[in-house]
Amino acid sequence: MKIKVGFKKVFDAYKALEPQTAIEKQQAAEILAIEKEYPKLTTGLTKCTDLTEYQTQIDAVLNPLFSPLLTENEIKFATIPFQNIAIKCTQRYKNLIKAAGEEVALEIINFNADQFYIMGCSIILNIYYGIKVDFRRSYYYNIPDEHGMVKNYRLLYNADFVEIQKTDKAKDISEADINELLESYENVAIWKEKFPPESWIFNGFVIASLTDVTLNVSISDFKSNLLRLEKNGGFEDTEFSRIFRSIFHLKDLMIGFTDYHEETETFERTLFKEISSFILNNKKSQRCKDALCSGSYYKLFKQREFYCITDAERYHKLYPDNLLYKKMLDQGMKSAIFASIVHEDKILGVLELVSPNANDLNTINANKLRDIMPFLIDSVVRSKENLENELELIIQEECTAIHSSVHWKFRQEAKRYLNSKNEGNANYFREIVFQDVFPLYGQTDIKGSSEARNEATKQDLMLQLQYIDELLQKLSKYNPLLIFEQMKFTVANFSNEITENLQVDTERKVIDFIASEIIPFFKHMRLKNNTHKKWIDEYNELVDLNSGLVYKFRKDYDESVMQTNKRLAAILDRKQLEAQQMYPHYFERFNTDGVEHNMYIGENITKRRTFNKLYLKNLRLWQLQIVCEMENSFYNFKESLPVNLDVASMILVFNGSLSLRFRMDEKRFDVDGTYNARYEVVKKRVDKAHIKGTEERITQPGKIVMVYSQKEDEEEYLQYIKFLQSQKMLDEGVEMLELEDLQGVTGLKALRVKVLYSKNTNKTKEYYTYEDLISELKD
């Protein structure tokens, strides 16, 4: 549109006005006199210089629209829509522009030139053609104040004094044109075609009003940033500091956050680690009662209210022992607000607002937090839930994850359950069952683990009693008290009991004696003098700080078991991924004193319909090879262990298939049915079984045992053994043994063969398949 600043509608309004008082009559007469004397104000001014030339008359015409009583309060100005021109304005508007600086141009946020053009065309459609095109939106200015902080203002227009006039250049708009325009908001070229530039005249002005909506916009930005935070999981792409500064109108304000862990009653830095915690002051964690003073702890944890420090420097002078005031001053902070994040009566964390200026933060502006705390609480709850989910995923992945081979079945049942629930049907999550699957079980167990653990315990107890006796000898020479003799007598009795016949409850009695008598007694004697303190400190360096017990030989044993399990489990896990490529099957591994593994293979495990017994034989041969490799790996690193250990391996061969059921209450798979349960009984007891008629255990270091019950299993595994002997993985010769009867299980037999150990393997393949075996037999 061609723009004219005219006041015709103001003059018309005064002509139609019926003044009620003499003052109103005089005012109307003065304004109409201006119209008569200056007709150009009616036809419209087209140049900026005209505005300056007629400024006195314009002020007089617009004075009734700008009350002098509100000039310091209202942010109002007369202008042309979406133009940075103020024809007349209030004093508060002048102050606002002055504080922002003359170089700051007022620009409407998110409003470009094309939208401006379409807006002008929409005004024409509304005013001239009566077509109600609703283009109304909320328009905002961002204007910095004298401190450089950006404040948000909402812009409202009063267009009562606007007149739209058509020129010869204007095109007539048909109904078809209107339909096309309503379908073409994004295509500004069509709007320019229907409304050529300067083909219409805008004559008049608008009254613009600004309202400070910084708090509302900041809260809206706060919610948007919370959503972004939850999506991205960090503060990198958020503007929380700027938002809180806008809300509190404090340019130096800083924010922090501290997690609260209820179980340990500690503050931690887990969520939102990108921002600081002024309470923790660079510490990763701290007990909340130690991190806070008594007053702040009571306010945050008991009353669940804000805790404000208005002047830390003044408070510290009054209460020099208060650790929280000192902590704030050490970080250069002089005022603060701490707010508990409370959800369902549980404290999740503490929001921290701090400032280096005294009185910036106080009990009055703390109430601004009440508008945003609900959103923050929701976000913290969701972030906590996401964190818990991540932790649960890690736990499942490391410990009890649903194996990928059967995950599809769980997903299928979960989908059925959810659909049924959404339809309003009463339902429950059904147990997962895989029928007609073939089990494989194997273990590489640490031999004599119980005896080794008992021996380590015995040595630790003897060593500690020796340390105690030596210290009592020193103390008794310095203080000839009868109590020393009695304690030495008790120590000697315990030493004899451990040496001659270590009973089940001996360990407990010794530990109780140390905890109830020795430790308190030594603590008391330590305070007597520096000599006693030195001796007892030397003793304390020899024992574990937390338990007060010697943990030397048991530590070596535990470390040896841990390294063994880790090494064996790593081989099994890595190689098992390769085995899945042969044919998908269920796999699980357990670490005890050694490593156990279960495998189940069958058509029901996968969605495939291609299962053949060939895949079972492949997996059995693979299992035997991997047990050989685990034995070799242990052999190659056993010398590096703190304690000399041996392992023995066993494979349990089950003839036939069974059903596998996931126990929902125990969150694990188990065999199903009475007959199938015999398989579990054998698994738990067979490694302790003896050769029939002897006291010799079936499992022996350096040998692999294959336990079976059917002749066809024997023939199958003899082929595997012969093949692996040809590959130099097993030694020549095979023992064919009978096992003693187990409870409820009879007729078990075993094949036992020595493992060939080698520092360097000459294998040309990672593992051999059943086809390799058949090929070897044919040759």
Side-chain angles (χ1 to χ4, degrees):
M1 290 181 287
K2 188 174 183 180
I3 303 297
K4 291 184 178 182
V5 178
F7 304 92
K8 182 178 182 300
K9 283 211 166 186
V10 177
F11 299 139
D12 289 346
Y14 274 100
K15 290 173 184 176
L17 188 66
E18 296 181 2
Q20 302 296 316
T21 65
I23 294 176
E24 290 177 351
K25 290 178 182 178
Q26 181 182 351
Q27 187 180 61
E30 290 174 355
I31 289 174
L32 292 174
I34 292 173
E35 179 195 27
K36 188 175 181 180
E37 186 174 356
Y38 302 97
K40 198 170 183 180
L41 294 178
T42 300
T43 58
L45 308 175
T46 57
K47 299 177 182 179
C48 289
T49 54
D50 292 338
L51 294 176
T52 304
E53 181 179 348
Y54 293 95
Q55 189 63 56
T56 303
Q57 292 75 26
I58 291 172
D59 285 343
V61 172
L62 295 182
N63 271 338
L65 302 176
F66 290 78
S67 171
L69 297 178
L70 299 175
T71 190
E72 296 286 349
N73 180 269
E74 291 182 332
I75 310 174
K76 189 166 74 172
F77 56 103
T79 185
I80 303 163
F82 314 113
Q83 299 291 317
N84 193 12
I85 297 172
I87 300 167
K88 184 174 176 63
C89 59
T90 62
Q91 185 59 45
R92 186 175 175 189
Y93 176 81
K94 292 178 182 177
N95 296 341
L96 195 70
I97 298 304
K98 182 180 179 182
E102 294 180 0
E103 69 281 359
V104 175
L106 297 186
E107 294 183 355
I108 297 172
I109 302 171
N110 297 327
F111 197 72
N112 58 37
D114 289 348
Q115 290 172 316
F116 173 77
Y117 199 100
I118 295 172
M119 176 64 178
C121 299
S122 299
I123 292 172
I124 296 170
L125 290 174
N126 276 322
I127 295 178
Y128 194 86
Y129 288 97
I131 305 299
K132 298 302 179 183
V133 180
D134 191 358
F135 200 91
R136 287 175 296 178
R137 289 175 52 194
S138 294
Y139 303 106
Y140 295 90
Y141 282 138
N142 284 345
I143 306 175
D145 64 8
E146 64 272 18
H147 302 297
M149 294 189 62
V150 176
K151 303 191 73 175
N152 310 103
Y153 295 89
R154 185 178 181 184
L155 174 64
L156 294 175
Y157 283 127
N158 181 337
D160 289 346
F161 304 103
V162 174
E163 189 178 50
I164 301 296
Q165 300 167 356
K166 191 176 183 181
T167 71
D168 295 335
K169 293 182 181 180
K171 295 181 179 180
D172 289 325
I173 303 299
S174 66
E175 186 174 346
D177 292 331
I178 293 171
N179 291 335
E180 185 179 3
L181 290 169
L182 294 178
E183 296 169 355
S184 308
Y185 172 74
E186 300 293 338
N187 192 345
V188 72
I190 293 177
W191 291 84
K192 289 184 177 181
E193 177 193 342
K194 308 299 181 186
F195 297 94
E198 294 193 353
S199 61
W200 293 80
I201 296 174
F202 173 101
N203 190 359
F205 64 94
V206 295
I207 300 294
S209 298
L210 297 181
T211 305
D212 189 342
V213 292
T214 303
L215 181 60
N216 294 335
V217 171
S218 295
I219 291 175
S220 178
D221 288 348
F222 180 75
K223 290 188 283 186
S224 298
N225 276 267
L226 284 177
L227 292 173
R228 196 176 306 136
L229 173 66
E230 291 172 23
K231 180 179 178 182
N232 299 338
F235 267 80
E236 296 90 345
D237 299 320
T238 59
E239 301 179 288
F240 283 93
S241 295
R242 179 193 64 77
I243 292 168
F244 275 96
R245 287 167 187 159
S246 296
I247 292 172
F248 285 83
H249 197 55
L250 298 170
K251 67 175 182 177
D252 297 323
L253 183 143
M254 288 177 279
I255 63 170
F257 185 84
T258 306
D259 281 343
Y260 176 65
H261 192 265
E262 187 177 25
E263 292 179 4
T264 58
E265 295 185 342
T266 57
F267 285 136
E268 300 175 344
R269 293 195 61 201
T270 306
L271 294 180
F272 315 148
K273 289 184 288 188
E274 295 84 358
I275 60 173
S276 302
S277 168
F278 297 92
I279 289 177
L280 287 177
N281 190 17
N282 295 325
K283 292 182 179 179
K284 290 184 177 180
S285 65
Q286 189 177 15
R287 290 186 71 250
C288 57
K289 289 185 178 179
D290 297 333
L292 299 171
C293 61
S294 57
S296 57
Y297 178 83
Y298 181 79
K299 199 77 172 177
L300 294 171
F301 282 83
K302 301 301 181 183
Q303 292 185 323
R304 311 289 175 86
E305 282 292 337
F306 305 143
Y307 182 75
C308 300
I309 301 173
T310 55
D311 189 343
E313 199 166 29
R314 179 166 60 87
Y315 288 1
H316 182 58
K317 289 178 182 178
L318 294 172
Y319 309 100
D321 295 331
N322 188 297
L323 58 91
L324 187 58
Y325 302 153
K326 183 178 184 302
K327 191 184 294 184
M328 289 297 103
L329 290 175
D330 288 344
Q331 297 173 82
M333 300 301 139
K334 295 183 180 178
S335 61
I337 299 171
F338 301 112
S340 296
I341 309 296
V342 184
H343 177 68
E344 295 181 350
D345 205 38
K346 289 185 177 181
I347 294 179
L348 307 180
V350 176
L351 174 67
E352 309 166 2
L353 304 181
V354 298
S355 170
N357 308 315
N359 300 317
D360 267 2
L361 297 163
N362 50 67
T363 59
I364 298 172
N365 59 14
N367 287 283
K368 291 186 176 185
L369 283 177
R370 300 191 189 279
D371 294 325
I372 63 173
M373 287 302 283
F375 309 112
L376 181 60
I377 290 170
D378 288 344
S379 182
V380 172
V381 168
R382 285 192 290 270
S383 296
K384 285 267 189 181
E385 289 173 350
N386 291 339
L387 176 62
E388 290 300 322
N389 290 338
E390 289 180 20
L391 294 175
E392 188 62 25
L393 285 173
I394 293 171
I395 293 170
Q396 288 184 6
E397 187 174 309
E398 295 294 328
C399 308
T400 58
I402 301 299
H403 194 261
S404 57
S405 62
V406 295
H407 188 269
W408 66 272
K409 187 88 168 179
F410 286 83
R411 183 179 176 82
Q412 187 180 71
E413 173 59 18
K415 190 174 182 179
R416 182 206 63 80
Y417 169 76
L418 185 61
N419 290 339
S420 182
K421 185 178 179 182
N422 290 338
E423 291 169 1
N425 299 326
N427 211 334
Y428 60 92
F429 198 96
R430 297 182 304 204
E431 287 187 323
I432 306 296
V433 180
F434 296 95
Q435 296 178 340
D436 197 26
V437 296
F438 297 89
L440 296 91
Y441 172 77
Q443 68 174 40
T444 300
D445 197 27
I446 296 173
K447 291 297 292 181
S449 58
S450 298
E451 293 81 359
R453 185 183 289 106
N454 289 339
E455 182 60 27
T457 302
K458 179 179 176 180
Q459 289 178 292
D460 277 341
L461 292 176
M462 287 297 296
L463 186 59
Q464 179 144 21
L465 291 173
Q466 178 187 328
Y467 291 156
I468 293 171
D469 185 65
E470 291 173 355
L471 182 53
L472 289 173
Q473 296 281 7
K474 290 181 181 179
L475 292 172
S476 63
K477 289 180 181 179
Y478 204 98
N479 301 281
L481 300 175
L482 288 176
I483 189 65
F484 289 112
E485 298 304 317
Q486 186 271 329
M487 285 185 172
K488 286 191 289 181
F489 177 75
T490 302
V491 168
N493 281 342
F494 277 134
S495 297
N496 291 333
E497 185 175 341
I498 292 170
T499 303
E500 295 174 3
N501 185 20
L502 180 65
Q503 298 296 320
V504 176
D505 64 339
T506 303
E507 179 183 357
R508 180 187 56 78
K509 289 192 294 185
V510 173
I511 291 173
D512 288 346
F513 168 69
I514 293 170
S516 61
E517 296 190 38
I518 294 299
I519 292 177
F521 179 69
F522 283 174
K523 282 184 178 179
H524 170 73
M525 295 302 295
R526 187 176 181 275
L527 303 176
K528 287 287 187 180
N529 55 55
N530 289 333
T531 302
H532 288 174
K533 181 178 182 297
K534 178 186 175 184
W535 289 344
I536 293 170
D537 285 347
E538 289 173 352
Y539 166 81
N540 287 336
E541 289 178 2
L542 300 173
V543 300
D544 181 70
L545 185 63
N546 295 319
S547 64
L549 302 172
V550 169
Y551 184 58
K552 179 179 183 296
F553 294 99
R554 280 172 295 179
K555 183 180 179 181
D556 289 344
Y557 171 78
D558 290 341
E559 181 69 22
S560 299
V561 170
M562 185 195 71
Q563 287 186 33
T564 299
N565 285 351
K566 192 172 182 180
R567 179 85 168 236
L568 298 178
I571 295 171
L572 194 56
D573 290 347
R574 186 178 70 253
K575 294 295 183 180
Q576 209 280 321
L577 296 176
E578 299 172 359
Q580 291 290 343
Q581 303 304 314
M582 294 188 242
Y583 192 87
H585 56 276
Y586 179 79
F587 169 84
E588 60 183 0
R589 167 182 57 77
F590 306 99
N591 285 6
T592 53
D593 285 347
V595 176
E596 302 175 33
H597 66 273
N598 286 316
M599 295 184 289
Y600 299 92
I601 188 170
E603 193 165 278
N604 282 306
I605 290 289
T606 70
K607 288 181 284 188
R608 299 182 186 180
R609 293 291 179 262
T610 58
F611 180 73
N612 186 287
K613 282 286 190 73
L614 174 68
Y615 298 114
L616 172 62
K617 293 180 177 181
N618 243 331
L619 197 58
R620 284 176 169 177
L621 177 56
W622 173 88
Q623 181 187 36
L624 184 54
Q625 292 176 76
I626 295 307
V627 172
C628 290
E629 186 169 338
M630 292 166 68
E631 285 270 356
N632 256 285
S633 178
F634 175 78
Y635 169 77
N636 287 330
F637 93 108
K638 66 175 289 186
E639 294 178 1
S640 65
L641 295 174
V643 174
N644 185 32
L645 297 175
D646 283 308
V647 298
S649 298
M650 182 201 73
I651 291 172
L652 177 60
V653 184
F654 186 80
N655 186 276
S657 62
L658 46 72
S659 293
L660 186 65
R661 181 183 296 271
F662 186 79
R663 307 288 181 187
M664 298 300 296
D665 52 345
E666 300 177 17
K667 297 292 184 290
R668 68 180 183 85
F669 276 106
D670 200 358
V671 295
D672 196 32
T674 304
Y675 172 74
N676 295 335
R678 294 177 66 247
Y679 174 70
E680 291 293 330
V681 172
V682 175
K683 278 201 315 185
K684 289 180 173 62
R685 299 176 182 174
V686 70
D687 66 315
K688 303 292 191 298
H690 295 92
I691 298 173
K692 196 169 187 176
T694 73
E695 293 298 318
E696 182 184 346
R697 282 271 187 92
I698 190 68
T699 53
Q700 293 293 327
K703 299 178 180 181
I704 298 176
V705 176
M706 287 139 277
V707 178
Y708 62 96
S709 61
Q710 302 296 320
K711 184 67 176 176
E712 61 189 272
D713 295 327
E714 177 186 298
E715 293 172 354
E716 181 180 338
Y717 272 85
L718 283 173
Q719 286 185 328
Y720 300 157
I721 292 170
K722 185 177 181 181
F723 175 66
L724 294 181
Q725 286 172 338
S726 72
Q727 303 300 328
K728 305 303 181 185
M729 298 177 73
L730 294 174
D731 199 5
E732 296 298 325
V734 180
E735 297 177 84
M736 304 181 70
L737 309 167
E738 289 187 38
L739 272 65
E740 64 181 358
D741 293 343
L742 303 177
Q743 185 176 351
V745 182
T746 60
L748 291 178
K749 300 177 182 180
L751 300 173
R752 195 164 69 178
V753 61
K754 290 182 179 179
V755 181
L756 283 180
Y757 296 107
S758 172
K759 291 288 184 182
N760 299 305
T761 176
N762 294 320
K763 287 191 300 175
T764 58
K765 299 182 70 172
E766 281 294 317
Y767 57 83
Y768 297 93
T769 66
Y770 189 72
E771 287 83 352
D772 295 326
L773 181 145
I774 298 300
S775 176
E776 177 78 13
L777 292 177
K778 286 180 179 178
D779 293 343

